[in-house]
Amino acid sequence: MDINQAVVNYIAIWNERDAERRRALIAQTWSEDGSYVGPSRDGVGHDAIDAMIANAQQRSVLPLAQGQSPGWRMSLASGIDTHHNYVRFSWTVGGTADAPLYTKGTVFAILAADGRLKSVIGFTDAGPARAPK
């Protein structure tokens, strides 16, 4: 797989609400034993990655009031930096009329020999203020 297509697919996976299409994109984009680790979620293998993303879509990745889940969409927010079998890019979620609160993050990934994602590590770079405790 071409690295640019892998990143386009990665963004599309987080936006895809149809479970069958999302699952097909995950299989196309992640190796069978691929993983995702981020500050608030993780998963290993296609089933776990799919469940993790479906859960994030239902809960909303944005820290909104309970029960509030706008139609957020992830977008690419940087160029795609790659060398050897490593890739890095940034994304945003929100910042729209439907989802005005904004979150930004960076992904670091290792590619499998076939060009699919083997290991994805996500970081949150910016987000809305958290509610006081």
Side-chain angles (χ1 to χ4, degrees):
M1 169 175 285
D2 171 81
I3 186 57
N4 292 309
Q5 189 61 53
V7 172
V8 167
N9 285 1
Y10 177 88
I11 300 293
I13 288 165
W14 283 92
N15 291 329
E16 184 57 64
R17 299 303 202 263
D18 180 274
E20 191 173 312
R21 287 193 304 253
R22 184 178 58 243
R23 176 68 182 196
L25 276 170
I26 288 169
Q28 182 183 0
T29 308
W30 255 283
S31 62
E32 285 77 11
D33 61 345
S35 64
Y36 175 91
V37 176
S40 60
R41 58 188 53 87
D42 59 80
V44 177
H46 294 171
D47 290 339
I49 291 168
D50 182 48
M52 173 194 73
I53 292 170
N55 183 309
Q57 290 173 344
Q58 290 169 355
R59 285 188 21 232
S60 178
V61 296
L62 300 171
L64 301 173
Q66 189 168 354
Q68 189 178 12
S69 181
W72 57 265
R73 296 200 49 85
M74 181 180 279
S75 300
L76 187 63
S78 71
I80 301 167
D81 188 22
T82 184
H83 64 82
H84 297 82
N85 63 331
Y86 302 102
V87 63
R88 174 185 62 152
F89 60 92
S90 294
W91 53 266
T92 60
V93 167
T96 66
D98 290 338
L101 297 179
Y102 157 94
T103 302
K104 181 177 188 254
T106 300
V107 164
F108 296 93
I110 299 173
L111 303 174
D114 63 4
R116 291 187 293 168
L117 301 173
K118 170 77 173 162
S119 174
V120 175
I121 302 100
F123 291 87
T124 303
D125 300 329
R130 300 280 179 188
K133 293 182 180 186

